[in-house]
Amino acid sequence: MRVAVIGQGYVGLTIAVEAAKAGHDVVGFDVNVDLVERLNNWSSHVEGVSDSELKSLFVAGHLMISATPSAIGRAEVVVIAVPTPLDSNRNPDTSFIEAACRTIAEHLSQPILVINESTSFPGTLRNLIAKSIEAMSVTPIAHMYAASPERVDPGNSEWGQKSTPRLIAGLTPEATALAREFYSPFCENLVEVSSPEVAEAAKLFENTFRQVNIALVNEFAQIAHALRIPSREVIDAASTKPYGFMPFAPGPGVGGHCIPVDPTYLASVAEAAGVPATFIRRANEVNNKMPAYVVSRVKADMGGLEGKRVVVVGVSYKSNVADTRETPAELIIDELEREGAIVSWHDPLVNVWRGDISTKLAANMADAAIVVTKHDAIEIEDILRAANYVFDCTGKISGVPCI
Protein backbone atom coordinates (compact mmCIF):
# COMPACT_ATOMS: atom_id res chain seq x y z
CA MET A 1 0.00 0.00 0.00
CA ARG A 2 1.03 3.62 -0.53
CA VAL A 3 0.96 5.11 2.96
CA ALA A 4 1.37 8.60 4.40
CA VAL A 5 1.92 9.18 8.11
CA ILE A 6 1.16 12.71 9.28
CA GLY A 7 3.34 13.49 12.30
CA GLN A 8 6.85 12.10 12.83
CA GLY A 9 7.10 12.16 16.61
CA TYR A 10 7.32 9.12 18.88
CA VAL A 11 4.17 7.57 17.44
CA GLY A 12 4.37 8.67 13.82
CA LEU A 13 7.98 7.72 13.18
CA THR A 14 7.50 4.34 14.82
CA ILE A 15 4.46 3.51 12.69
CA ALA A 16 6.16 4.81 9.53
CA VAL A 17 9.22 2.64 10.10
CA GLU A 18 7.25 -0.50 10.97
CA ALA A 19 4.93 -0.03 7.98
CA ALA A 20 7.91 0.46 5.66
CA LYS A 21 9.66 -2.63 7.05
CA ALA A 22 6.47 -4.59 6.35
CA GLY A 23 6.63 -3.65 2.67
CA HIS A 24 4.37 -0.61 2.47
CA ASP A 25 5.58 2.41 0.47
CA VAL A 26 5.66 5.10 3.17
CA VAL A 27 5.90 8.89 3.23
CA GLY A 28 6.29 10.52 6.61
CA PHE A 29 5.12 14.13 6.77
CA ASP A 30 5.84 16.69 9.49
CA VAL A 31 5.67 20.48 9.59
CA ASN A 32 8.85 20.62 11.72
CA VAL A 33 11.50 21.31 9.09
CA ASP A 34 14.40 20.74 11.50
CA LEU A 35 13.01 17.34 12.49
CA VAL A 36 12.53 16.35 8.85
CA GLU A 37 16.10 17.38 8.04
CA ARG A 38 17.38 15.35 10.98
CA LEU A 39 15.45 12.27 9.88
CA ASN A 40 16.64 12.68 6.29
CA ASN A 41 20.16 12.57 7.68
CA TRP A 42 19.24 9.19 9.20
CA SER A 43 19.27 10.51 12.75
CA SER A 44 16.47 8.97 14.82
CA HIS A 45 14.95 10.73 17.83
CA VAL A 46 12.80 7.79 18.97
CA GLU A 47 13.66 4.93 21.31
CA GLY A 48 13.58 1.66 19.36
CA VAL A 49 14.21 3.20 15.92
CA SER A 50 17.91 3.04 15.08
CA ASP A 51 19.82 5.32 12.73
CA SER A 52 20.92 2.29 10.69
CA GLU A 53 17.30 1.18 10.37
CA LEU A 54 16.33 4.59 9.01
CA LYS A 55 19.22 4.54 6.55
CA SER A 56 18.39 1.09 5.20
CA LEU A 57 14.73 2.02 4.63
CA PHE A 58 15.67 5.28 2.91
CA VAL A 59 18.24 3.58 0.67
CA ALA A 60 15.80 0.81 -0.24
CA GLY A 61 13.21 3.42 -1.20
CA HIS A 62 10.58 2.16 1.24
CA LEU A 63 10.54 5.35 3.33
CA MET A 64 10.85 9.07 2.71
CA ILE A 65 10.29 11.98 5.10
CA SER A 66 9.04 15.35 3.89
CA ALA A 67 7.93 18.73 5.17
CA THR A 68 6.03 19.35 1.92
CA PRO A 69 2.32 18.51 2.35
CA SER A 70 1.85 17.63 -1.31
CA ALA A 71 4.14 14.62 -0.70
CA ILE A 72 1.13 12.74 0.73
CA GLY A 73 -0.87 13.17 -2.48
CA ARG A 74 -0.46 9.63 -3.84
CA ALA A 75 -1.37 7.84 -0.62
CA GLU A 76 -3.98 5.11 -0.36
CA VAL A 77 -3.84 5.15 3.45
CA VAL A 78 -3.18 8.23 5.60
CA VAL A 79 -2.38 7.74 9.29
CA ILE A 80 -2.87 10.73 11.60
CA ALA A 81 -0.29 10.53 14.39
CA VAL A 82 -0.09 14.06 15.75
CA PRO A 83 0.09 15.41 19.32
CA THR A 84 -3.10 15.90 21.31
CA PRO A 85 -1.84 18.02 24.21
CA LEU A 86 -3.53 20.19 26.79
CA ASP A 87 -3.66 23.94 26.29
CA SER A 88 -2.43 26.56 28.75
CA ASN A 89 -5.60 26.05 30.81
CA ARG A 90 -5.10 22.27 30.78
CA ASN A 91 -8.05 21.67 28.46
CA PRO A 92 -7.92 19.34 25.43
CA ASP A 93 -6.23 20.87 22.38
CA THR A 94 -7.20 19.22 19.07
CA SER A 95 -5.60 21.85 16.85
CA PHE A 96 -2.99 19.42 15.51
CA ILE A 97 -5.70 16.98 14.45
CA GLU A 98 -7.59 19.81 12.79
CA ALA A 99 -4.43 20.83 10.89
CA ALA A 100 -3.94 17.23 9.74
CA CYS A 101 -7.52 17.17 8.45
CA ARG A 102 -6.85 20.35 6.49
CA THR A 103 -3.72 18.81 4.95
CA ILE A 104 -5.67 15.72 3.87
CA ALA A 105 -8.53 17.76 2.45
CA GLU A 106 -6.20 19.99 0.45
CA HIS A 107 -3.88 17.34 -0.97
CA LEU A 108 -5.90 14.12 -1.45
CA SER A 109 -8.17 14.07 -4.48
CA GLN A 110 -8.85 10.31 -4.58
CA PRO A 111 -10.73 8.15 -2.03
CA ILE A 112 -8.44 6.88 0.73
CA LEU A 113 -8.54 5.27 4.15
CA VAL A 114 -7.90 7.77 6.95
CA ILE A 115 -6.75 6.16 10.22
CA ASN A 116 -6.51 8.17 13.41
CA GLU A 117 -3.87 6.96 15.88
CA SER A 118 -3.81 10.19 17.89
CA THR A 119 -5.37 9.86 21.33
CA SER A 120 -8.54 11.91 21.71
CA PHE A 121 -12.05 11.79 23.11
CA PRO A 122 -14.75 9.40 21.86
CA GLY A 123 -16.34 10.79 18.71
CA THR A 124 -13.14 12.38 17.37
CA LEU A 125 -13.03 10.21 14.24
CA ARG A 126 -16.73 10.45 13.44
CA ASN A 127 -17.55 14.02 14.48
CA LEU A 128 -14.26 15.88 14.07
CA ILE A 129 -12.02 14.14 11.54
CA ALA A 130 -14.54 12.79 9.03
CA LYS A 131 -16.76 15.87 9.15
CA SER A 132 -13.81 18.29 8.92
CA ILE A 133 -12.24 16.57 5.93
CA GLU A 134 -15.57 16.36 4.14
CA ALA A 135 -16.32 20.03 4.86
CA MET A 136 -12.91 21.27 3.75
CA SER A 137 -12.57 19.14 0.60
CA VAL A 138 -13.11 21.10 -2.64
CA THR A 139 -15.22 18.30 -4.12
CA PRO A 140 -17.04 15.46 -2.31
CA ILE A 141 -14.77 12.42 -1.90
CA ALA A 142 -15.91 9.11 -0.42
CA HIS A 143 -13.06 8.53 2.02
CA MET A 144 -13.14 5.68 4.53
CA TYR A 145 -12.28 6.24 8.20
CA ALA A 146 -10.95 4.06 11.01
CA ALA A 147 -9.62 4.55 14.53
CA SER A 148 -6.67 2.66 16.00
CA PRO A 149 -5.33 4.55 19.03
CA GLU A 150 -1.58 4.23 19.48
CA ARG A 151 -0.06 2.11 22.22
CA VAL A 152 3.59 3.17 22.15
CA ASP A 153 5.66 2.72 25.32
CA PRO A 154 9.10 4.31 24.82
CA GLY A 155 11.94 2.06 25.94
CA ASN A 156 9.80 -1.07 26.27
CA SER A 157 11.72 -3.86 24.54
CA GLU A 158 9.05 -6.50 25.20
CA TRP A 159 5.93 -4.76 23.89
CA GLY A 160 6.33 -2.94 20.57
CA GLN A 161 4.29 -2.38 17.43
CA LYS A 162 4.35 -6.07 16.49
CA SER A 163 3.54 -7.65 19.84
CA THR A 164 1.17 -5.13 21.46
CA PRO A 165 -2.52 -5.87 20.76
CA ARG A 166 -4.01 -3.14 18.57
CA LEU A 167 -7.63 -2.00 18.63
CA ILE A 168 -9.23 -1.22 15.27
CA ALA A 169 -12.69 -0.01 14.26
CA GLY A 170 -13.94 1.71 11.14
CA LEU A 171 -16.95 3.84 10.49
CA THR A 172 -17.93 1.12 8.02
CA PRO A 173 -17.13 -2.61 7.75
CA GLU A 174 -15.12 -1.82 4.61
CA ALA A 175 -12.95 0.65 6.51
CA THR A 176 -12.35 -1.89 9.29
CA ALA A 177 -11.34 -4.54 6.74
CA LEU A 178 -8.94 -2.18 4.99
CA ALA A 179 -7.41 -1.11 8.31
CA ARG A 180 -6.84 -4.79 9.12
CA GLU A 181 -5.15 -5.26 5.74
CA PHE A 182 -2.85 -2.31 6.47
CA TYR A 183 -1.85 -3.31 10.00
CA SER A 184 -1.72 -7.09 9.71
CA PRO A 185 1.78 -7.33 8.15
CA PHE A 186 3.37 -5.71 11.24
CA CYS A 187 0.85 -6.22 14.09
CA GLU A 188 0.33 -9.74 15.40
CA ASN A 189 -2.87 -9.18 17.37
CA LEU A 190 -5.59 -6.99 15.86
CA VAL A 191 -8.65 -6.63 18.04
CA GLU A 192 -11.78 -5.42 16.26
CA VAL A 193 -14.26 -3.51 18.40
CA SER A 194 -17.78 -2.46 17.52
CA SER A 195 -17.16 1.23 16.86
CA PRO A 196 -14.41 3.87 16.73
CA GLU A 197 -15.89 5.35 19.90
CA VAL A 198 -15.16 2.11 21.78
CA ALA A 199 -11.54 2.15 20.61
CA GLU A 200 -11.13 5.84 21.47
CA ALA A 201 -12.69 5.42 24.91
CA ALA A 202 -10.61 2.30 25.66
CA LYS A 203 -7.37 4.24 25.13
CA LEU A 204 -8.49 6.98 27.50
CA PHE A 205 -9.71 4.50 30.11
CA GLU A 206 -6.43 2.52 30.02
CA ASN A 207 -4.44 5.57 31.08
CA THR A 208 -7.09 6.98 33.39
CA PHE A 209 -6.91 3.66 35.26
CA ARG A 210 -3.18 4.22 35.73
CA GLN A 211 -3.59 7.88 36.70
CA VAL A 212 -6.22 7.08 39.34
CA ASN A 213 -4.22 4.24 40.89
CA ILE A 214 -1.00 6.25 40.89
CA ALA A 215 -2.87 9.08 42.61
CA LEU A 216 -4.22 6.65 45.20
CA VAL A 217 -0.77 5.30 46.03
CA ASN A 218 0.70 8.83 46.09
CA GLU A 219 -1.98 9.96 48.51
CA PHE A 220 -1.40 6.84 50.61
CA ALA A 221 2.35 7.57 50.67
CA GLN A 222 1.62 10.98 52.19
CA ILE A 223 -0.68 9.42 54.77
CA ALA A 224 1.89 6.75 55.62
CA HIS A 225 4.63 9.36 56.06
CA ALA A 226 2.42 11.35 58.46
CA LEU A 227 1.78 8.14 60.42
CA ARG A 228 5.52 7.26 60.35
CA ILE A 229 4.84 4.04 58.45
CA PRO A 230 7.04 3.02 55.45
CA SER A 231 4.65 3.19 52.50
CA ARG A 232 6.65 0.93 50.22
CA GLU A 233 6.85 -1.82 52.84
CA VAL A 234 3.07 -1.57 53.22
CA ILE A 235 2.64 -1.91 49.44
CA ASP A 236 4.96 -4.93 49.39
CA ALA A 237 3.01 -6.47 52.24
CA ALA A 238 -0.33 -5.89 50.51
CA SER A 239 1.11 -7.42 47.34
CA THR A 240 1.43 -10.79 49.06
CA LYS A 241 -2.33 -11.15 48.67
CA PRO A 242 -2.74 -13.34 45.57
CA TYR A 243 -6.04 -11.81 44.46
CA GLY A 244 -7.90 -8.51 44.51
CA PHE A 245 -4.80 -6.27 44.69
CA MET A 246 -2.53 -4.71 42.06
CA PRO A 247 0.56 -2.86 43.27
CA PHE A 248 1.42 0.66 42.08
CA ALA A 249 4.48 2.59 43.23
CA PRO A 250 4.44 6.14 44.61
CA GLY A 251 6.49 8.73 42.80
CA PRO A 252 7.12 12.45 42.12
CA GLY A 253 4.13 12.78 39.77
CA VAL A 254 3.34 11.46 36.32
CA GLY A 255 5.00 12.17 32.98
CA GLY A 256 4.96 11.27 29.33
CA HIS A 257 2.24 12.15 26.87
CA CYS A 258 -0.42 9.70 28.06
CA ILE A 259 -1.02 9.58 31.81
CA PRO A 260 -0.92 13.34 32.53
CA VAL A 261 -3.11 14.11 29.48
CA ASP A 262 -5.55 11.32 28.57
CA PRO A 263 -7.65 11.45 31.77
CA THR A 264 -8.39 15.11 31.09
CA TYR A 265 -9.74 14.22 27.64
CA LEU A 266 -12.04 11.67 29.29
CA ALA A 267 -13.10 14.09 32.02
CA SER A 268 -13.77 16.81 29.46
CA VAL A 269 -16.05 14.68 27.28
CA ALA A 270 -17.79 13.32 30.40
CA GLU A 271 -18.56 16.79 31.69
CA ALA A 272 -19.74 17.88 28.25
CA ALA A 273 -22.22 14.99 28.45
CA GLY A 274 -23.40 16.16 31.88
CA VAL A 275 -21.53 13.56 33.96
CA PRO A 276 -19.25 14.91 36.74
CA ALA A 277 -15.73 13.48 36.53
CA THR A 278 -14.85 14.25 40.15
CA PHE A 279 -12.83 11.07 40.69
CA ILE A 280 -10.67 11.70 37.60
CA ARG A 281 -10.23 15.39 38.41
CA ARG A 282 -9.14 14.54 41.95
CA ALA A 283 -6.58 12.03 40.65
CA ASN A 284 -5.16 14.67 38.32
CA GLU A 285 -4.96 17.10 41.23
CA VAL A 286 -3.13 14.66 43.52
CA ASN A 287 -0.51 13.77 40.92
CA ASN A 288 -0.04 17.36 39.77
CA LYS A 289 0.75 18.37 43.37
CA MET A 290 3.34 15.64 43.97
CA PRO A 291 6.31 17.77 42.80
CA ALA A 292 5.40 20.41 45.40
CA TYR A 293 5.04 17.67 48.02
CA VAL A 294 8.51 16.35 47.21
CA VAL A 295 10.01 19.81 47.61
CA SER A 296 8.13 20.35 50.88
CA ARG A 297 9.63 17.14 52.26
CA VAL A 298 13.14 18.20 51.25
CA LYS A 299 12.60 21.71 52.61
CA ALA A 300 11.45 20.33 55.98
CA ASP A 301 14.42 17.96 56.22
CA MET A 302 16.92 20.65 55.18
CA GLY A 303 15.50 23.39 57.40
CA GLY A 304 14.82 25.58 54.38
CA LEU A 305 16.13 25.77 50.82
CA GLU A 306 17.15 29.40 50.43
CA GLY A 307 20.68 29.43 48.99
CA LYS A 308 21.01 25.64 49.18
CA ARG A 309 22.62 23.81 46.26
CA VAL A 310 20.29 21.09 44.97
CA VAL A 311 21.00 18.65 42.13
CA VAL A 312 18.02 16.91 40.52
CA VAL A 313 19.03 13.46 39.29
CA GLY A 314 17.17 12.14 36.25
CA VAL A 315 14.92 14.57 34.36
CA SER A 316 13.24 12.24 31.85
CA TYR A 317 9.79 11.02 32.84
CA LYS A 318 10.75 7.33 33.07
CA SER A 319 13.89 5.29 33.58
CA ASN A 320 16.23 4.39 30.72
CA VAL A 321 14.64 6.67 28.11
CA ALA A 322 15.46 10.26 27.13
CA ASP A 323 11.83 11.38 26.89
CA THR A 324 11.15 14.54 28.93
CA ARG A 325 7.53 15.13 27.90
CA GLU A 326 5.46 16.27 30.91
CA THR A 327 8.28 15.23 33.25
CA PRO A 328 7.63 16.01 36.92
CA ALA A 329 11.30 17.01 37.18
CA GLU A 330 10.39 20.30 35.52
CA LEU A 331 7.86 21.20 38.20
CA ILE A 332 10.24 20.09 40.96
CA ILE A 333 12.98 22.35 39.60
CA ASP A 334 10.57 25.28 39.28
CA GLU A 335 9.38 24.75 42.86
CA LEU A 336 12.95 24.51 44.17
CA GLU A 337 13.85 27.77 42.48
CA ARG A 338 10.80 29.48 43.96
CA GLU A 339 12.10 28.39 47.36
CA GLY A 340 15.45 30.06 46.60
CA ALA A 341 17.50 26.94 45.91
CA ILE A 342 20.40 26.94 43.47
CA VAL A 343 19.43 24.10 41.15
CA SER A 344 21.38 21.95 38.71
CA TRP A 345 20.42 18.66 37.09
CA HIS A 346 22.08 15.46 35.94
CA ASP A 347 20.80 13.08 33.29
CA PRO A 348 23.23 11.18 31.03
CA LEU A 349 20.44 10.25 28.60
CA VAL A 350 18.99 13.73 28.14
CA ASN A 351 22.19 15.86 28.22
CA VAL A 352 20.52 19.06 26.91
CA TRP A 353 17.14 20.24 28.25
CA ARG A 354 15.39 23.60 28.68
CA GLY A 355 18.47 25.30 27.25
CA ASP A 356 20.77 23.84 29.92
CA ILE A 357 23.38 21.08 29.89
CA SER A 358 23.46 18.11 32.23
CA THR A 359 25.83 18.58 35.17
CA LYS A 360 28.24 15.78 36.01
CA LEU A 361 27.84 14.23 39.43
CA ALA A 362 30.82 15.03 41.62
CA ALA A 363 31.64 14.49 45.29
CA ASN A 364 30.00 17.06 47.58
CA MET A 365 28.71 19.10 44.64
CA ALA A 366 25.42 19.91 46.38
CA ASP A 367 23.75 20.22 49.74
CA ALA A 368 20.94 17.94 48.55
CA ALA A 369 20.22 15.53 45.73
CA ILE A 370 16.68 14.67 44.63
CA VAL A 371 16.42 11.48 42.59
CA VAL A 372 13.45 11.89 40.26
CA THR A 373 14.37 9.18 37.74
CA LYS A 374 16.95 6.46 38.26
CA HIS A 375 18.51 5.30 34.98
CA ASP A 376 20.67 2.18 34.92
CA ALA A 377 23.48 4.43 33.70
CA ILE A 378 23.45 6.42 36.97
CA GLU A 379 25.40 4.74 39.76
CA ILE A 380 23.87 4.92 43.24
CA GLU A 381 27.33 5.46 44.72
CA ASP A 382 27.78 8.59 42.61
CA ILE A 383 24.46 9.97 43.85
CA LEU A 384 25.35 9.32 47.49
CA ARG A 385 28.74 11.01 47.05
CA ALA A 386 27.18 14.07 45.41
CA ALA A 387 25.38 15.28 48.55
CA ASN A 388 25.12 14.43 52.23
CA TYR A 389 21.32 14.53 51.96
CA VAL A 390 19.56 12.45 49.28
CA PHE A 391 15.79 12.28 48.74
CA ASP A 392 14.74 9.35 46.58
CA CYS A 393 11.48 9.49 44.58
CA THR A 394 12.05 6.04 43.09
CA GLY A 395 12.44 3.72 46.08
CA LYS A 396 15.65 2.29 44.59
CA ILE A 397 18.14 3.70 47.10
CA SER A 398 18.05 2.16 50.54
CA GLY A 399 18.68 4.10 53.72
CA VAL A 400 17.64 7.54 52.49
CA PRO A 401 14.37 9.51 52.78
CA CYS A 402 11.90 8.56 50.06
CA ILE A 403 8.27 8.85 49.00
Side-chain angles (χ1 to χ4, degrees), residues 104-322:
I104 293 169
E106 291 175 352
H107 296 281
L108 274 301
S109 57
Q110 72 280 1
I112 62 166
L113 171 67
V114 177
I115 301 175
N116 183 37
E117 286 210 16
S118 302
T119 303
S120 188
F121 44 79
T124 295
L125 182 74
R126 189 184 306 272
N127 300 321
L128 173 58
I129 293 175
K131 289 185 177 180
S132 294
I133 293 173
E134 290 167 5
M136 290 186 287
S137 296
V138 177
T139 58
I141 303 172
H143 295 311
M144 291 184 287
Y145 299 90
S148 185
E150 58 88 5
R151 283 172 167 169
V152 175
D153 186 15
N156 192 326
S157 58
E158 180 180 2
W159 296 104
Q161 287 286 353
K162 193 172 186 65
S163 58
T164 302
R166 174 177 285 277
L167 304 178
I168 58 171
L171 291 181
T172 62
E174 294 78 13
T176 303
L178 192 55
R180 175 175 286 279
E181 182 182 345
F182 165 65
Y183 284 114
S184 58
F186 58 97
C187 297
E188 294 175 334
N189 188 356
L190 298 175
V191 181
E192 291 186 23
V193 294
S194 61
S195 71
E197 287 79 6
V198 170
E200 292 162 337
K203 173 60 188 292
L204 296 184
F205 188 62
E206 292 164 16
N207 289 315
T208 301
F209 172 85
R210 296 169 67 192
Q211 172 83 314
V212 166
N213 281 280
I214 292 168
L216 173 62
V217 77
N218 279 336
E219 191 164 79
F220 173 73
Q222 296 176 53
I223 296 168
H225 176 69
L227 298 176
R228 301 183 183 276
I229 301 170
S231 63
R232 292 176 188 271
E233 185 179 353
V234 174
I235 294 165
D236 290 342
S239 298
T240 62
K241 184 180 180 181
Y243 54 89
F245 182 80
M246 179 182 293
F248 284 78
V254 291
H257 174 68
C258 291
I259 302 177
V261 175
D262 293 1
T264 298
Y265 274 74
L266 184 55
S268 177
V269 74
E271 290 160 355
V275 180
T278 52
F279 201 56
I280 298 171
R281 294 295 190 186
R282 174 56 184 159
N284 291 348
E285 181 184 6
V286 169
N287 287 333
N288 288 339
K289 288 184 176 180
M290 284 305 292
Y293 172 73
V294 168
V295 174
S296 72
R297 289 277 305 274
V298 176
K299 179 182 178 180
D301 289 349
M302 297 286 293
L305 289 168
E306 182 72 36
K308 301 287 178 61
R309 299 167 301 154
V310 181
V311 59
V312 173
V313 180
V315 298
S316 66
Y317 85 89
K318 65 183 293 189
S319 61
N320 300 322
V321 301

